[in-house]
Amino acid sequence: MVTTMFNFDWPLVLMFLPLPFLIILLIPRSKREDAALRVPFYQRAENAIHEGRTLSHNSAWITIIPLALIWILLVGAAAKPQWVGDAISIPTSGRDLLVAVDISGSMELEDMVIDRKQTSRIVVVKDVVGEFLERRLNDRLGLILFGSQAYLQSPLTFDRKTVNRLLQEAQLGFAGKQTAIGDAIGLSIKRLKDRPESQRVVILLTDGANTAGEVEPRKAADLAKQAGVKIYTIGVGADEMIQNNGFFRQRINPSVDLDVESLQYIADTTGGKYFRARNPKDLARIYDLLDQLEPIEQDEEFFRPTRSLFYWPLGIALLLSFCFASLSTMFPILFSRAVN
């Protein structure tokens, strides 16, 4: 069944179609002559109608027809004509999934190894999380970036490519050098509270402990539990790395500041799970596991693409106006009576 159709977005504007002719017929001529504002269209149309009573039939309609057609086209354009296409189903069988990524200063630490080359944590995170976002075809995805403050970088959307691009463009430190895990959770709760309870999922990735913000992570976890928000936490960072100190090399733990206990508490309290990513392979495996989340079926949603057509009647009206003006100049005898 064909469902495409033509309609007007503002059909009430069509009520103005008879306006100039009603003014000509109903308002006495003497009052119109005293008006402070004169509209050339009314004057020409009125003179043409009055001359139709004294001039030949063809002479009067030479002026009336183009002016009336121009008015009809202008009103039609103002009514916003549009072509509405067939209904298109949009994917809605998924979760509302917020990804919260730590972009504090410590994420620049190069304790990850890719192809035997030391790589910063944020580069690995962008690569792995970006692939994860691209795979979540049926989820509404959102992105929160947090440092000393938490910011909603992208609201929930099906446009996963845009979410991924915003992640790739994120710069370390623009949200501050510290880490506000509690505030990131609080912002996630705020964005998910109006969504169906079975779909409220947050994946929070950090490499440190809560050192900023107004809400403690454990308190935020309790609030998330009350709001029905499930949080999966990921602690990223190697357990050891070799650091060169002048004449000797020292083995250190670059993840000594990682608050594993709080991350475990957040996950356990909200019904999620805590993961530990010590290298790029660990992180990829974690997101492969998260990728297996069962989608929750929702009511099917549709949208109908629309194409605005107002420029067609508007363009024709302008063309007719130009032709009418040109003919009035070239053949003044035909139009002199209607203009005067």
Side-chain angles (χ1 to χ4, degrees):
M1 182 177 64
V2 179
T3 57
T4 56
M5 59 180 294
F6 171 83
N7 64 21
F8 290 96
D9 195 28
W10 295 346
L12 293 179
V13 175
L14 298 177
M15 296 174 60
F16 290 97
L17 280 173
L19 181 61
F21 307 101
L22 291 176
I23 293 176
I24 292 171
L25 296 175
L26 299 180
I27 299 180
R29 185 180 181 89
S30 59
K31 291 185 178 180
R32 291 197 300 274
E33 291 176 348
D34 296 334
L37 177 64
R38 295 181 179 275
V39 182
F41 172 82
Y42 294 158
Q43 188 66 40
R44 291 189 176 189
E46 177 190 9
N47 289 338
I49 291 174
H50 283 287
E51 290 193 9
R53 301 167 184 164
T54 58
L55 299 176
S56 67
H57 182 77
N58 293 334
S59 177
W61 287 102
I62 287 176
T63 303
I64 295 175
I65 290 177
L67 291 176
L69 185 56
I70 291 170
W71 173 254
I72 292 171
L73 289 168
L74 290 175
V75 174
K80 295 186 65 175
Q82 59 186 11
W83 183 261
V84 182
D86 292 327
I88 298 176
S89 174
I90 59 176
T92 56
S93 59
R95 296 181 186 256
D96 292 318
L97 198 157
L98 273 175
V99 179
V101 177
D102 184 351
I103 56 169
S104 60
S106 58
M107 289 292 288
E108 67 181 348
L109 186 61
E110 295 183 349
D111 63 345
M112 297 286 182
V113 180
I114 298 179
D115 297 331
R116 298 183 180 181
K117 181 181 179 181
Q118 294 294 124
T119 307
S120 67
R121 294 170 177 176
I122 189 61
V123 170
V124 173
V125 167
K126 286 182 177 181
D127 183 52
V128 175
V129 177
E131 291 184 2
F132 170 79
L133 294 173
E134 292 288 348
R135 294 195 300 265
R136 302 300 294 191
L137 299 178
N138 295 329
D139 289 336
R140 286 187 180 91
L141 300 173
L143 178 64
I144 290 176
L145 301 176
F146 65 96
S148 302
Q149 297 87 29
Y151 298 96
L152 180 69
Q153 195 71 0
S154 170
L156 291 167
T157 176
F158 285 114
D159 188 359
R160 63 189 188 282
K161 293 187 181 296
T162 296
V163 178
N164 186 16
R165 186 174 70 249
L166 292 172
L167 172 64
Q168 302 305 322
E169 293 174 352
Q171 300 296 317
L172 294 182
F174 92 94
K177 296 291 186 180
Q178 296 179 299
T179 308
I181 297 175
D183 285 6
I185 296 174
L187 181 57
S188 301
I189 297 171
K190 180 179 179 180
R191 304 305 302 187
L192 292 171
K193 65 180 181 179
D194 295 328
R195 300 302 306 164
E197 184 173 349
S198 59
Q199 299 168 231
R200 303 171 185 171
V201 178
V202 177
I203 299 175
L204 185 143
L205 183 146
T206 184
D207 68 342
N210 191 78
T211 56
E214 300 179 0
V215 182
E216 291 295 324
R218 296 185 180 230
K219 177 62 176 177
D222 295 336
L223 295 173
K225 180 181 179 180
Q226 296 175 17
V229 176
K230 181 187 293 185
I231 303 176
Y232 293 89
T233 56
I234 301 174
V236 63
D239 282 339
E240 64 177 35
M241 65 178 293
I242 304 300
Q243 186 179 55
N244 292 320
N245 292 324
F247 297 102
F248 60 93
R249 303 172 70 188
Q250 181 181 10
R251 190 180 301 273
I252 63 171
N253 179 8
S255 298
V256 65
D257 294 329
L258 182 64
D259 189 354
V260 175
E261 293 184 0
S262 292
L263 296 178
Q264 185 76 60
Y265 178 88
I266 293 168
D268 292 344
T269 300
T270 61
K273 189 174 181 179
Y274 168 69
F275 300 96
R276 182 74 173 91
R278 297 174 177 83
N279 52 62
K281 290 184 178 179
D282 283 350
L283 188 59
R285 279 195 294 268
I286 290 168
Y287 278 98
D288 285 340
L289 290 174
L290 293 172
D291 215 12
Q292 299 173 10
L293 291 171
E294 288 293 332
I296 304 299
E297 294 293 332
Q298 302 178 16
D299 294 334
E300 193 172 16
E301 296 181 6
F302 297 89
F303 81 97
R304 302 189 67 177
T306 59
R307 185 161 58 95
S308 182
L309 302 174
F310 76 92
Y311 48 85
W312 285 106
L314 181 60
I316 295 173
L318 292 175
L319 181 61
L320 287 177
S321 299
F322 175 78
C323 293
F324 184 80
S326 299
L327 291 174
S328 299
T329 304
M330 296 172 61
F331 306 101
I333 297 177
L334 291 176
F335 299 91
S336 60
R337 292 179 177 270
V339 173
N340 295 326

